[in-house]
Amino acid sequence: MWLLALLPIGMGALLGAQTAINAKLRGLVGSPYLASAISFTIGTAALAIVAFSQGALAGFHWTGPWWLWLGGLFGTIGLTMNILLFPKLGSVQTAVLPIFGQIVASALIDQLGAFFAPVHPLTLVKGGGLVLVVVGVLTTVMGPTNLTRTPVPHRLWWQLGGIGAGMLMASQIAINGHLGTVQHSALAAATYSFASGAALLWLLCLGKRVPLTAIKAATQQGPRAWWIWLGGLFGAVYVFGSAWLVTLLGTGQIVVLVLFGQLTTSAVIEHFGFLGSIKAPVARQKVLGLIIMFIGVVLTKLA
C-alpha cells in the first residue's frame, strides 16, 4: 500500500510541472483560457489514442446517475476559478482556499461514501494528519510578497468561490472513479472527462473571443521549447490515475498525496528555475511547511 501511495505523489509532481509548463504556454499564446484549452485538447488526444488502441471506448454505457458526467465540468470550473481568483485575492488565497476546499470535500466524501466512493471513516489520527496538512500548506504558500491589500468588492463571495472550486475538484476524483466502474475502464472515464473539459474550454475561448492566431507563436518555438506541449499529457495522467486509484486509496488520501507531490515539485522548479520559470530560492519557511505537510501525509496513511 505504501508503494501504491507513491503513484499519487508522482501524479502531484506532474501537476506541479504542468503549472509551470502551462504558464509558459500562456505567455506565448497570451490567454490563460486558450493555454488551458490547448492543454486539455492534447491530453484528450493522447487519452483517446491509448483508449482506442486498448478498446476501452468500445463498450460505452449511458447507465448511471445523471451526475456521472459532471467530472469534466467540475474540473473546468475549478481551473477557471483559480484563474479568476488570482487578481482578486492574490496568490496566497488563490492557492490556499481551493486546497482547503479539496481537503474538506475529500474528507466528507470518504466519510459519507458520496458519489458511490468507498467509505474511509475519519479517525482521530487521520484527522490530526489532515490538520497538519492544512498547517503545512499555509506555511508553504504564505509570504509577504504574496499578500494583496487592494480593496476587492464582494471579497467574501470570491473566497467562498475558491473553497467551492476546491470542493468541485475533489468531487471530480470521486465522480470519475465511479464513471470508470460503470464504463469498466478508468481509461475511458479519463478520456470522457478530459474531452468534455476541452470542449467547455474551447466554448469559453469562443465566448470571450480569444484570438486563435496566437497559437502560431507557440508553434514557432520549435525544438527549443518542445516541452510546452507536455502539460496536457501530465494532466491526462493525473485524471486517469485518480479515476483508477480512487477505489483503492479513497478520495481523501489521493487529494492529500497529490497536494504534497504538487507543492514539493513546484518548490523544486522555482528553486532551480526549471521549465522557464523565474528562479526563486526556496525559503526556510517553505521547507518547514513541506516537512509539516509530510508528517501530516504519513499520519493519514497510518490511519
Side-chain angles (χ1 to χ4, degrees):
M1 186 63 73
W2 279 97
L3 291 177
L4 197 62
L6 294 178
L7 293 179
I9 293 177
M11 287 153 47
L14 292 181
L15 282 186
Q18 181 195 37
T19 301
I21 291 171
N22 284 348
K24 178 67 174 180
L25 182 59
R26 173 186 176 178
L28 293 173
V29 300
S31 167
Y33 306 108
L34 182 56
S36 297
I38 293 172
S39 180
F40 264 68
T41 301
I42 292 174
T44 300
L47 285 169
I49 291 172
V50 177
F52 273 119
S53 67
Q54 299 294 319
L57 304 181
F60 179 80
H61 301 283
W62 280 107
T63 57
W66 62 271
W67 48 258
L68 202 58
W69 307 100
L70 294 180
L73 173 64
F74 284 2
T76 305
I77 292 175
L79 175 68
T80 305
M81 180 59 72
N82 279 353
I83 296 173
L84 297 176
L85 283 178
F86 189 85
K88 302 290 184 180
L89 302 178
S91 59
V92 170
Q93 294 192 48
T94 300
V96 171
L97 293 175
I99 288 176
F100 177 73
Q102 286 185 60
I103 293 175
V104 171
S106 63
L108 289 174
I109 290 171
D110 281 351
Q111 182 73 23
L112 302 174
F115 305 115
F116 294 101
V119 176
H120 294 272
L122 184 65
T123 64
L124 185 62
V125 175
K126 183 181 288 186
L130 291 176
V131 170
L132 285 179
V133 169
V134 174
V135 172
V137 170
L138 289 171
T139 306
T140 301
V141 302
M142 279 190 171
T145 59
N146 290 327
L147 300 178
T148 177
R149 297 180 175 84
T150 305
V152 177
H154 311 297
R155 179 185 293 270
L156 176 60
W157 290 108
W158 285 107
Q159 291 169 330
L160 292 176
I163 295 174
M167 297 181 75
L168 291 180
M169 294 174 74
S171 299
Q172 179 194 30
I173 294 176
I175 290 173
N176 285 347
H178 188 59
L179 179 60
T181 300
V182 171
Q183 300 295 328
H184 306 294
S185 170
L187 183 58
T191 304
Y192 299 145
S193 179
F194 236 73
S196 60
L200 289 170
L201 282 166
W202 282 114
L203 288 175
L204 180 62
C205 288
L206 292 175
K208 295 184 70 66
R209 298 183 178 179
V210 176
L212 303 183
T213 53
I215 298 176
K216 184 177 179 181
T219 59
Q220 289 175 340
Q221 294 298 305
R224 63 179 179 178
W226 57 270
W227 46 267
I228 62 174
W229 310 107
L230 293 180
L233 298 179
F234 290 172
V237 171
Y238 163 72
V239 173
F240 164 66
S242 298
W244 172 52
L245 290 171
V246 68
T247 57
L248 301 175
L249 297 177
T251 306
Q253 291 202 30
I254 291 177
V255 167
V256 168
L257 293 170
V258 166
L259 287 176
F260 176 72
Q262 183 177 2
L263 290 178
T264 302
T265 302
S266 298
V268 172
I269 289 174
E270 287 183 4
H271 183 76
F272 293 100
F274 291 147
L275 300 175
S277 63
I278 299 176
K279 189 173 182 180
V282 178
R284 293 180 180 179
Q285 174 182 323
K286 182 170 289 188
V287 174
L288 176 61
L290 291 172
I291 292 174
I292 295 173
M293 192 176 178
F294 176 74
I295 296 172
V297 168
V298 171
L299 287 179
T300 60
K301 287 300 298 175
L302 289 176

